[in-house]
Amino acid sequence: ESSAAPPRSDWKRKAIVTAVVVGAVLLGVLIASATIPRWWAQRIGDQVDESIVRGTMVGLFYGFLFTILPLLVLGAVLRWRRSLRALVVAGAFALLLAIPNLLTLGIVLGTGNAAHAGERTLDVRAPAFRGASLAGALVAIGLVALIAYLTYSRDRARDHAVTPDR
């Protein structure tokens, strides 16, 4: 009677699969970094259509909305659910909600050719968008900070309140 050979690990196959996956991810990142900033700048340029007033309004809208929503999601989870799973899910959801601002930030802070092309496109086709987007984000951060302060001070006052004896 022959005994079955113990299963052996096929490390060569795992190495090849890992190399292909890592290569595909790197290629995807390379392609995305070369195309997404240009694409995003074109989308914003289409919305603004070279109008300073529209650039300001669209920038304020994007900056405010896509900053306050992620912060409110994170704030709600931190206030009511503190499990690691809830924090990870809320963090991922907050990142998804912040994508428009992150795309704009990538153009502003980016050093590659696509980021520079995106900056030029925003300069011409979406004037005032970047500054207004920053202003909207700062207003949202200030509003969330105010809400957090008021909530904290209310809770603290409630905890320190002395109830009269009856």
Side-chain angles (χ1 to χ4, degrees):
E1 235 174 89
S2 67
S3 64
R8 64 172 221 245
S9 175
D10 190 4
W11 64 270
K12 288 181 184 178
R13 182 171 182 247
K14 287 180 183 178
I16 290 172
V17 169
T18 301
V20 168
V21 168
V22 168
V25 168
L26 289 176
L27 182 63
V29 168
L30 184 63
I31 291 170
S33 69
T35 57
I36 289 180
R38 288 179 173 102
W39 171 83
W40 180 246
Q42 289 293 331
R43 297 299 62 80
I44 296 301
D46 290 345
Q47 292 175 31
V48 173
D49 198 28
E50 301 179 12
S51 167
I52 292 175
V53 172
R54 251 186 307 222
T56 302
M57 299 308 289
V58 171
L60 286 171
F61 174 78
Y62 274 75
F64 182 81
L65 185 68
F66 296 110
T67 299
I68 200 163
L69 289 177
L71 291 176
L72 290 177
V73 166
L74 292 175
V77 168
L78 288 174
R79 184 153 172 86
W80 291 297
R81 299 228 187 252
R82 294 189 184 234
S83 71
L84 181 61
R85 182 178 179 185
L87 290 174
V88 168
V89 169
F93 187 58
L95 276 175
L96 284 174
L97 289 173
I99 283 176
N101 282 350
L102 295 175
L103 291 172
T104 303
L105 188 64
I107 291 173
V108 171
L109 298 180
T111 58
N113 290 337
H116 291 303
E119 275 187 312
R120 290 189 301 272
T121 301
L122 290 179
D123 285 343
V124 173
R125 298 198 56 217
F129 173 80
R130 288 181 290 170
S133 182
L134 174 62
L138 293 175
V139 168
I141 290 168
L143 184 59
V144 169
L146 177 65
I147 291 169
Y149 170 74
L150 292 174
T151 303
Y152 170 77
S153 65
R154 181 196 65 196
D155 292 347
R156 189 167 177 226
R158 186 183 301 148
D159 292 343
H160 288 89
V162 178
T163 56
D165 292 331
R166 290 195 171 177

